[in-house]
Amino acid sequence: MGPSPQESAREEMMAVLKANGSASDYEKALTKFVAAGGSSDDSLAKVGASVYGLSLAPPEPPAKKGKAPPAAIVPFDFMKQFMKDTLVAYGVPEAEAETSAEVLIEADRRGIDSHGIGRLKPIYCDRMDQGILFPHKPIDVVRESPTSALVDGNLGLGLYVGPYCMKLAIEKAKKHGVGFVVAQNSTHYGIAGYYATMASDAGCVGLTGTNARPSIAPTFGTEPMLGTNPLCFGIPTKDGFPFCIDCATSVNQRGKIEKYSRDGKPTPKGAVIDSAGVERTDTDGILRDMQLGKCALTPVGGAGDDMGGYKGYGWATTVELLCTAFQSGPFGEAVCGIDRATGAKKPMPLGHFFLAIDIAPLCPLDTFERNSTKLLDALRGSRKSPLAGGRIWTAGELEHDARVARHAQGGLSVPYPLQKNMTDLRDKIPALKAKYAKLPFE
């Protein structure tokens, strides 16, 4: 069975970009892509249109001349239900859709805008449309011991595979003190912090990580070889929220660069290096060249070793090892999600790991929480720089403050590009159109 008209048009777009072809050739391929049902929010369509200065679609009626419609506050409960209903419409079973929507909305509650509603369409729905992510696959336990397990996600929703695995790790920890679970053949699992705080909420120390499509270049290299590979810890405290360090092992990550594109902002210097060794700031050009494998993210510490870039490189490699060595899993080009020669999409079988350490067998939980809070209070109360504004933060505090502020304002602020994603999904899917005839911002 040959490629669909949409896939063929996308391959044409990729070929024009690779050959530095003309604007008219790209416009013809783009027109065919959109006519075949391709999304104007497709990353390749967006970066190509930016390069050639083309319009992706007829302009939406602006709220004010020359300005996009304003952002709108949408209640969390509404947004979670919309995401759940969308996933169900795609064939995700109800219970799995509920869990998956909760992982997504938790990112928005915490102020991690790169991983909530902003991911629903381009990362999950579009990939299900492309046949490289499946709405429902069984989760198989391949090997298991009292304290560990290897789980196969069969290319189902990582948003469901992740909670399943951490729940299993916590259950093992509560019985035996420690639980460690690794997943193979999974997919994008959302914010790593969701899983670490599953463990901390259960009275455990939590640790998780995932690999991803190759984005980070090794120190002194320019080729994208490692994923952004977050390494995340969750630790219980008495603060009313856990200590949770959830960040990529790169200076920046692709979701943030996509957000810069939506916001029309340049990428900060030092976050991206191209094949010529040049540090880039042109956001849309970066997204284009990342598709083509001509740009790479720098590890924490930046390019080279002047600021310790080898440290971020080492941590990214550690995560990649833990996500592939147990699982005999793929890495690098094997999980890039695209055929570089044709531009055709292909599955990205990812690995994850989940560790839960039960605190109670070693120390009363209350004592542990008081001890951790004592240290965190000391850090927050330490001498501040007279040249820096603001306060001294500890990990998890910003996310807690975002949650409080967003609940106070009645939900999350949804910018116009994400409003359009929601209306596009609603207008495409009959079940959504029947239930959501009018969205809060319409």
Side-chain angles (χ1 to χ4, degrees):
M1 185 175 178
S4 68
Q6 184 184 134
E7 291 168 340
S8 295
R10 199 175 191 283
E11 289 172 13
E12 283 185 43
M13 290 155 55
M14 175 64 83
V16 173
L17 282 172
K18 286 174 72 73
N20 292 317
S22 68
S24 61
D25 287 343
Y26 185 84
E27 186 172 22
K28 289 175 186 175
L30 177 62
T31 301
K32 283 194 276 186
F33 177 73
V34 174
S39 170
S40 60
D41 286 316
D42 178 274
S43 59
L44 182 60
K46 288 175 71 176
V47 298
S50 174
V51 168
Y52 292 110
L54 301 175
S55 173
L56 290 169
E60 297 290 322
K64 292 182 180 179
K65 188 174 181 180
K67 293 185 178 179
I73 301 297
V74 178
F76 288 118
D77 289 346
F78 180 95
M79 187 63 79
K80 178 183 174 182
Q81 188 64 46
F82 179 86
M83 291 194 283
K84 176 183 175 181
D85 289 339
T86 300
L87 294 172
V88 168
Y90 266 85
V92 179
E94 178 112 4
E96 295 180 17
E98 170 71 23
T99 298
S100 299
E102 177 60 26
V103 177
L104 288 173
I105 199 63
E106 183 62 14
D108 285 320
R109 292 186 191 119
R110 297 184 189 189
I112 307 173
D113 294 328
S114 57
H115 280 65
I117 180 62
R119 289 293 205 192
L120 177 66
K121 185 179 185 299
I123 297 297
Y124 304 105
C125 296
D126 286 358
R127 289 179 183 177
M128 286 188 280
D129 286 336
Q130 293 155 359
I132 62 172
L133 168 62
F134 300 103
H136 178 54
K137 285 286 184 176
I139 296 176
D140 298 320
V141 178
V142 180
R143 296 187 185 88
E144 188 171 18
S145 78
T147 58
S148 62
L150 170 62
V151 168
D152 194 319
N154 294 299
L155 293 178
L157 270 177
L159 296 170
Y160 181 72
V161 176
Y164 177 96
C165 289
M166 184 51 95
K167 181 173 181 288
L168 180 58
I170 292 167
E171 290 171 353
K172 291 178 178 295
K174 289 299 180 181
K175 290 179 181 178
H176 304 288
V178 175
F180 182 66
V181 177
V182 291
Q184 65 184 21
N185 294 319
S186 186
T187 57
H188 194 285
Y189 78 165
I191 55 168
Y194 184 88
Y195 309 106
T197 54
M198 278 181 67
S200 61
D201 288 347
C204 297
V205 171
L207 169 64
T208 185
T210 178
N211 68 341
R213 53 187 167 181
S215 300
I216 297 178
T219 299
F220 301 126
T222 63
E223 182 181 356
M225 292 295 296
L226 299 164
T228 48
N229 296 9
L231 184 63
C232 178
F233 287 84
I235 298 174
T237 75
K238 288 289 188 186
D239 282 325
F241 55 91
F243 175 91
C244 179
I245 177 71
D246 176 8
C247 53
T249 47
S250 54
V251 170
N252 223 325
Q253 40 91 2
R254 193 184 299 246
K256 284 283 180 69
I257 295 174
E258 290 168 353
K259 187 172 187 301
Y260 295 145
S261 178
R262 291 197 299 269
D263 296 342
K265 295 180 178 178
T267 296
K269 188 175 182 181
V272 176
I273 191 169
D274 68 15
S275 55
V278 176
E279 294 184 3
R280 296 272 293 276
T281 62
D282 56 316
T283 297
D284 288 339
I286 287 168
L287 289 172
R288 173 200 64 200
D289 285 347
M290 288 184 78
Q291 287 272 358
L292 301 174
K294 295 180 179 179
C295 263
L297 302 177
T298 58
V300 169
D305 62 356
D306 288 347
M307 295 296 290
Y310 59 88
K311 299 176 183 177
Y313 167 41
W315 284 119
T317 304
T318 300
V319 174
E320 197 84 37
L321 287 167
L322 291 173
C323 291
T324 59
F326 286 110
Q327 305 90 328
S328 299
F331 61 90
E333 282 294 295
V335 293
C336 74
I338 191 168
D339 185 319
R340 301 289 191 194
T342 67
K345 295 285 190 176
K346 64 180 184 180
M348 288 174 277
L350 302 181
H352 321 304
F353 61 89
F354 307 84
L355 175 68
I357 304 169
D358 192 24
I359 292 167
L362 302 173
C363 172
L365 179 60
D366 182 73
T367 301
F368 181 96
E369 290 177 336
R370 282 190 284 106
N371 289 341
S372 61
T373 303
K374 182 179 179 181
L375 170 59
L376 297 174
D377 281 343
L379 294 173
R380 290 187 287 251
S382 63
R383 185 169 60 250
K384 301 173 181 61
S385 167
L387 301 179
R391 67 195 216 224
I392 295 174
W393 308 83
T394 56
E397 198 173 353
L398 282 169
E399 291 81 1
H400 172 72
D401 288 357
R403 181 192 301 275
V404 171
R406 291 185 172 197
H407 276 288
Q409 74 179 7
L412 67 149
S413 178
V414 181
Y416 173 68
L418 298 186
Q419 294 175 26
K420 189 172 186 308
N421 279 0
M422 292 176 69
T423 56
D424 285 349
L425 286 168
R426 186 268 315 272
D427 294 342
K428 172 185 174 182
I429 300 170
L432 294 182
K433 196 159 190 175
K435 182 171 182 178
Y436 298 99
K438 188 173 183 180
L439 292 165
F441 42 79
E442 292 183 311

